[in-house]
Amino acid sequence: MVLQLHALLVPGVVTNGSGGSAPPSPGISFATLAAVMAIALIAPLLVNLRPSLRIPSAVVEIVLGILVGPSGFGWIQVDRPIAILSTLGLALLLFLAGLEIDAARLRHGVGRIGVAYLLSVCLAVLVALAISQVEHIESPLFVAFALASSTVGLVVPILRDANQTETRFGQLALAGDRKSTRLNSSHIT
């Protein structure tokens, strides 16, 4: 049993039916996926250690991802299972954000959503231009649109944790975030 679990977690280790190790074979390793699932389990536990801080678990997950990923210690690299899972996760997140929006409550907020979107894009352009002065960036405009559209992963969990998804503010935030993600995605592609 332990050897079979080890085969799932360690790349290149394949067990045969009797529990012994077979020669390494090229294939897909799920070690990175197991590490990501461990982080997904640990993040809410860390948040619940100090509930007075009121930090969303999504923020802790992002920080842990930076620490163990290629930008941090480099313990985890993006491989095929993680790439597939991230694509499915983003699609599910956007779908769930769309389910949270009540279009009937937003009739009077369309102008504010548009102004907020323009402000977020302008701010993202300024940040991208500032970053390009310090670090070489091929396309600051691409970075700006990526910055302006990457908030849906934080907005939905934060609003849900604060029980604000059903309030007028929560609905406007979700709609604005969803609109900016859709418009920025069309500019990037």
Side-chain angles (χ1 to χ4, degrees):
M1 174 77 170
V2 172
L3 200 51
Q4 290 173 343
L5 180 61
H6 178 70
L8 291 173
L9 298 176
V10 177
V13 175
V14 179
T15 60
N16 59 25
S18 63
S21 292
S25 70
I28 296 175
S29 168
F30 292 100
T32 305
L33 183 60
V36 170
M37 299 310 282
I39 289 171
L41 177 69
I42 291 169
L45 296 175
L46 289 175
V47 168
N48 287 328
L49 288 176
R50 297 286 306 262
S52 61
L53 293 178
R54 299 183 50 90
I55 299 174
S57 63
V59 172
V60 176
E61 290 167 354
I62 290 171
V63 170
L64 289 174
I66 291 170
L67 286 174
V68 301
S71 299
F73 295 118
W75 296 336
I76 295 178
Q77 302 294 325
V78 177
D79 56 4
R80 187 175 297 160
I82 296 301
I84 292 169
L85 186 64
S86 69
T87 302
L88 291 173
L90 179 61
L92 180 64
L93 180 65
L94 294 174
F95 177 74
L96 291 175
L99 288 178
E100 298 280 345
I101 297 171
D102 183 7
R105 295 176 66 183
L106 296 175
R107 289 187 185 141
H108 304 293
V110 175
R112 281 188 275 180
I113 292 171
V115 170
Y117 169 69
L118 288 175
L119 287 174
S120 70
V121 169
C122 290
L123 181 62
V125 168
L126 291 174
V127 169
L129 290 174
I131 292 172
S132 71
Q133 298 301 313
V134 178
E135 184 76 29
H136 173 69
I137 297 176
E138 288 279 326
S139 175
L141 192 58
F142 176 80
V143 172
F145 282 116
L147 287 172
S149 67
S150 62
T151 61
V152 73
L154 287 175
V155 170
V156 173
I158 289 171
L159 289 174
R160 190 173 291 137
D161 287 350
N163 293 323
Q164 293 293 312
T165 55
E166 297 299 320
T167 65
R168 182 161 173 74
F169 167 76
Q171 289 292 302
L172 285 172
L174 288 170
D177 192 55
R178 181 79 170 113
K179 180 178 179 128
S180 70
T181 301
R182 189 174 61 246
L183 288 172
N184 289 334
S185 297
S186 68
H187 291 341
I188 289 174
T189 56

